[in-house]
PDB file of all heavy atoms in Angstrom:
ATOM      1  N   HIS A  51     -15.492 -11.505 -10.972  1.00 82.00           N
ATOM      2  CA  HIS A  51     -16.464 -10.457 -11.286  1.00 82.00           C
ATOM      3  C   HIS A  51     -15.715  -9.192 -11.672  1.00 82.00           C
ATOM      4  O   HIS A  51     -14.665  -8.893 -11.121  1.00 82.00           O
ATOM      5  CB  HIS A  51     -17.371 -10.166 -10.089  1.00 82.00           C
ATOM      6  CG  HIS A  51     -18.257 -11.308  -9.715  1.00 82.00           C
ATOM      7  ND1 HIS A  51     -19.409 -11.597 -10.399  1.00 82.00           N
ATOM      8  CD2 HIS A  51     -18.154 -12.236  -8.744  1.00 82.00           C
ATOM      9  CE1 HIS A  51     -19.988 -12.656  -9.852  1.00 82.00           C
ATOM     10  NE2 HIS A  51     -19.235 -13.065  -8.841  1.00 82.00           N
ATOM     11  N   GLU A  52     -16.271  -8.485 -12.598  1.00 83.00           N
ATOM     12  CA  GLU A  52     -15.713  -7.198 -13.003  1.00 83.00           C
ATOM     13  C   GLU A  52     -16.539  -6.109 -12.324  1.00 83.00           C
ATOM     14  O   GLU A  52     -17.692  -5.878 -12.690  1.00 83.00           O
ATOM     15  CB  GLU A  52     -15.769  -7.052 -14.524  1.00 83.00           C
ATOM     16  CG  GLU A  52     -15.048  -5.839 -15.042  1.00 83.00           C
ATOM     17  CD  GLU A  52     -13.581  -5.824 -14.671  1.00 83.00           C
ATOM     18  OE1 GLU A  52     -12.879  -6.823 -14.896  1.00 83.00           O
ATOM     19  OE2 GLU A  52     -13.144  -4.793 -14.140  1.00 83.00           O
ATOM     20  N   TRP A  53     -15.967  -5.474 -11.320  1.00 82.00           N
ATOM     21  CA  TRP A  53     -16.712  -4.501 -10.521  1.00 82.00           C
ATOM     22  C   TRP A  53     -16.611  -3.087 -11.068  1.00 82.00           C
ATOM     23  O   TRP A  53     -17.202  -2.162 -10.518  1.00 82.00           O
ATOM     24  CB  TRP A  53     -16.215  -4.539  -9.081  1.00 82.00           C
ATOM     25  CG  TRP A  53     -16.559  -5.831  -8.423  1.00 82.00           C
ATOM     26  CD1 TRP A  53     -15.742  -6.899  -8.246  1.00 82.00           C
ATOM     27  CD2 TRP A  53     -17.824  -6.208  -7.882  1.00 82.00           C
ATOM     28  NE1 TRP A  53     -16.409  -7.920  -7.613  1.00 82.00           N
ATOM     29  CE2 TRP A  53     -17.696  -7.519  -7.378  1.00 82.00           C
ATOM     30  CE3 TRP A  53     -19.056  -5.571  -7.773  1.00 82.00           C
ATOM     31  CZ2 TRP A  53     -18.748  -8.191  -6.789  1.00 82.00           C
ATOM     32  CZ3 TRP A  53     -20.097  -6.241  -7.165  1.00 82.00           C
ATOM     33  CH2 TRP A  53     -19.932  -7.536  -6.685  1.00 82.00           C
ATOM     34  N   ASP A  54     -15.869  -2.877 -12.150  1.00 83.00           N
ATOM     35  CA  ASP A  54     -15.694  -1.526 -12.676  1.00 83.00           C
ATOM     36  C   ASP A  54     -17.008  -0.878 -13.096  1.00 83.00           C
ATOM     37  O   ASP A  54     -17.175   0.334 -12.987  1.00 83.00           O
ATOM     38  CB  ASP A  54     -14.738  -1.538 -13.870  1.00 83.00           C
ATOM     39  CG  ASP A  54     -13.304  -1.789 -13.438  1.00 83.00           C
ATOM     40  OD1 ASP A  54     -13.004  -1.586 -12.250  1.00 83.00           O
ATOM     41  OD2 ASP A  54     -12.494  -2.188 -14.291  1.00 83.00           O
ATOM     42  N   GLU A  55     -17.962  -1.687 -13.587  1.00 84.00           N
ATOM     43  CA  GLU A  55     -19.236  -1.094 -13.999  1.00 84.00           C
ATOM     44  C   GLU A  55     -20.036  -0.592 -12.802  1.00 84.00           C
ATOM     45  O   GLU A  55     -20.830   0.338 -12.912  1.00 84.00           O
ATOM     46  CB  GLU A  55     -20.060  -2.073 -14.825  1.00 84.00           C
ATOM     47  CG  GLU A  55     -20.572  -3.273 -14.042  1.00 84.00           C
ATOM     48  CD  GLU A  55     -21.398  -4.212 -14.909  1.00 84.00           C
ATOM     49  OE1 GLU A  55     -20.793  -5.070 -15.574  1.00 84.00           O
ATOM     50  OE2 GLU A  55     -22.630  -4.075 -14.891  1.00 84.00           O
ATOM     51  N   PHE A  56     -19.828  -1.189 -11.625  1.00 86.00           N
ATOM     52  CA  PHE A  56     -20.526  -0.743 -10.418  1.00 86.00           C
ATOM     53  C   PHE A  56     -19.777   0.381  -9.709  1.00 86.00           C
ATOM     54  O   PHE A  56     -20.385   1.246  -9.093  1.00 86.00           O
ATOM     55  CB  PHE A  56     -20.728  -1.916  -9.458  1.00 86.00           C
ATOM     56  CG  PHE A  56     -21.594  -3.000 -10.008  1.00 86.00           C
ATOM     57  CD1 PHE A  56     -21.040  -4.176 -10.466  1.00 86.00           C
ATOM     58  CD2 PHE A  56     -22.969  -2.839 -10.090  1.00 86.00           C
ATOM     59  CE1 PHE A  56     -21.825  -5.183 -10.985  1.00 86.00           C
ATOM     60  CE2 PHE A  56     -23.771  -3.840 -10.604  1.00 86.00           C
ATOM     61  CZ  PHE A  56     -23.202  -5.014 -11.063  1.00 86.00           C
ATOM     62  N   TYR A  57     -18.459   0.323  -9.768  1.00 86.00           N
ATOM     63  CA  TYR A  57     -17.608   1.310  -9.092  1.00 86.00           C
ATOM     64  C   TYR A  57     -16.594   1.864 -10.076  1.00 86.00           C
ATOM     65  O   TYR A  57     -15.395   1.589  -9.974  1.00 86.00           O
ATOM     66  CB  TYR A  57     -16.898   0.675  -7.899  1.00 86.00           C
ATOM     67  CG  TYR A  57     -17.840   0.063  -6.899  1.00 86.00           C
ATOM     68  CD1 TYR A  57     -18.064  -1.311  -6.872  1.00 86.00           C
ATOM     69  CD2 TYR A  57     -18.518   0.861  -5.992  1.00 86.00           C
ATOM     70  CE1 TYR A  57     -18.939  -1.868  -5.954  1.00 86.00           C
ATOM     71  CE2 TYR A  57     -19.391   0.306  -5.073  1.00 86.00           C
ATOM     72  CZ  TYR A  57     -19.598  -1.060  -5.065  1.00 86.00           C
ATOM     73  OH  TYR A  57     -20.460  -1.613  -4.162  1.00 86.00           O
ATOM     74  N   PRO A  58     -17.039   2.656 -11.061  1.00 88.00           N
ATOM     75  CA  PRO A  58     -16.092   3.166 -12.056  1.00 88.00           C
ATOM     76  C   PRO A  58     -15.058   4.099 -11.432  1.00 88.00           C
ATOM     77  O   PRO A  58     -15.382   4.961 -10.624  1.00 88.00           O
ATOM     78  CB  PRO A  58     -16.985   3.911 -13.050  1.00 88.00           C
ATOM     79  CG  PRO A  58     -18.229   4.225 -12.301  1.00 88.00           C
ATOM     80  CD  PRO A  58     -18.383   3.149 -11.269  1.00 88.00           C
ATOM     81  N   GLY A  59     -13.820   3.873 -11.779  1.00 86.00           N
ATOM     82  CA  GLY A  59     -12.735   4.730 -11.300  1.00 86.00           C
ATOM     83  C   GLY A  59     -12.350   4.517  -9.848  1.00 86.00           C
ATOM     84  O   GLY A  59     -11.543   5.273  -9.307  1.00 86.00           O
ATOM     85  N   ALA A  60     -12.918   3.509  -9.199  1.00 85.00           N
ATOM     86  CA  ALA A  60     -12.595   3.281  -7.779  1.00 85.00           C
ATOM     87  C   ALA A  60     -11.191   2.678  -7.660  1.00 85.00           C
ATOM     88  O   ALA A  60     -10.771   1.872  -8.472  1.00 85.00           O
ATOM     89  CB  ALA A  60     -13.609   2.347  -7.155  1.00 85.00           C
ATOM     90  N   HIS A  61     -10.469   3.112  -6.648  1.00 82.00           N
ATOM     91  CA  HIS A  61      -9.164   2.538  -6.344  1.00 82.00           C
ATOM     92  C   HIS A  61      -8.905   2.689  -4.856  1.00 82.00           C
ATOM     93  O   HIS A  61      -9.518   3.523  -4.188  1.00 82.00           O
ATOM     94  CB  HIS A  61      -8.056   3.176  -7.176  1.00 82.00           C
ATOM     95  CG  HIS A  61      -7.936   4.661  -6.985  1.00 82.00           C
ATOM     96  ND1 HIS A  61      -8.753   5.553  -7.640  1.00 82.00           N
ATOM     97  CD2 HIS A  61      -7.106   5.389  -6.219  1.00 82.00           C
ATOM     98  CE1 HIS A  61      -8.421   6.785  -7.270  1.00 82.00           C
ATOM     99  NE2 HIS A  61      -7.433   6.707  -6.407  1.00 82.00           N
ATOM    100  N   LYS A  62      -8.026   1.871  -4.366  1.00 81.00           N
ATOM    101  CA  LYS A  62      -7.716   1.854  -2.938  1.00 81.00           C
ATOM    102  C   LYS A  62      -6.794   3.023  -2.604  1.00 81.00           C
ATOM    103  O   LYS A  62      -5.741   3.178  -3.208  1.00 81.00           O
ATOM    104  CB  LYS A  62      -7.038   0.527  -2.597  1.00 81.00           C
ATOM    105  CG  LYS A  62      -6.839   0.284  -1.145  1.00 81.00           C
ATOM    106  CD  LYS A  62      -6.257  -1.107  -0.960  1.00 81.00           C
ATOM    107  CE  LYS A  62      -6.159  -1.485   0.489  1.00 81.00           C
ATOM    108  NZ  LYS A  62      -5.637  -2.842   0.637  1.00 81.00           N
ATOM    109  N   ILE A  63      -7.225   3.823  -1.668  1.00 85.00           N
ATOM    110  CA  ILE A  63      -6.428   4.973  -1.251  1.00 85.00           C
ATOM    111  C   ILE A  63      -5.811   4.669   0.108  1.00 85.00           C
ATOM    112  O   ILE A  63      -6.517   4.376   1.063  1.00 85.00           O
ATOM    113  CB  ILE A  63      -7.292   6.245  -1.157  1.00 85.00           C
ATOM    114  CG1 ILE A  63      -7.895   6.569  -2.521  1.00 85.00           C
ATOM    115  CG2 ILE A  63      -6.471   7.404  -0.637  1.00 85.00           C
ATOM    116  CD1 ILE A  63      -8.886   7.716  -2.492  1.00 85.00           C
ATOM    117  N   ILE A  64      -4.503   4.701   0.157  1.00 83.00           N
ATOM    118  CA  ILE A  64      -3.800   4.516   1.426  1.00 83.00           C
ATOM    119  C   ILE A  64      -3.253   5.881   1.832  1.00 83.00           C
ATOM    120  O   ILE A  64      -2.479   6.492   1.085  1.00 83.00           O
ATOM    121  CB  ILE A  64      -2.666   3.492   1.296  1.00 83.00           C
ATOM    122  CG1 ILE A  64      -3.250   2.143   0.877  1.00 83.00           C
ATOM    123  CG2 ILE A  64      -1.876   3.390   2.597  1.00 83.00           C
ATOM    124  CD1 ILE A  64      -2.222   1.070   0.620  1.00 83.00           C
ATOM    125  N   PRO A  65      -3.652   6.387   3.002  1.00 84.00           N
ATOM    126  CA  PRO A  65      -3.172   7.704   3.431  1.00 84.00           C
ATOM    127  C   PRO A  65      -1.647   7.726   3.535  1.00 84.00           C
ATOM    128  O   PRO A  65      -1.033   6.734   3.938  1.00 84.00           O
ATOM    129  CB  PRO A  65      -3.805   7.903   4.810  1.00 84.00           C
ATOM    130  CG  PRO A  65      -4.903   6.904   4.892  1.00 84.00           C
ATOM    131  CD  PRO A  65      -4.548   5.788   3.976  1.00 84.00           C
ATOM    132  N   PRO A  66      -1.025   8.828   3.183  1.00 87.00           N
ATOM    133  CA  PRO A  66       0.438   8.896   3.242  1.00 87.00           C
ATOM    134  C   PRO A  66       0.985   8.777   4.665  1.00 87.00           C
ATOM    135  O   PRO A  66       2.130   8.367   4.855  1.00 87.00           O
ATOM    136  CB  PRO A  66       0.767  10.258   2.626  1.00 87.00           C
ATOM    137  CG  PRO A  66      -0.495  11.050   2.711  1.00 87.00           C
ATOM    138  CD  PRO A  66      -1.615  10.062   2.699  1.00 87.00           C
TER     139      PRO A  66
END
Side-chain angles (χ1 to χ4, degrees):
H51 295 281
E52 188 59 51
W53 293 99
D54 288 341
E55 68 180 85
F56 297 104
Y57 303 101
H61 59 279
K62 188 176 186 178
I63 299 174
I64 299 176

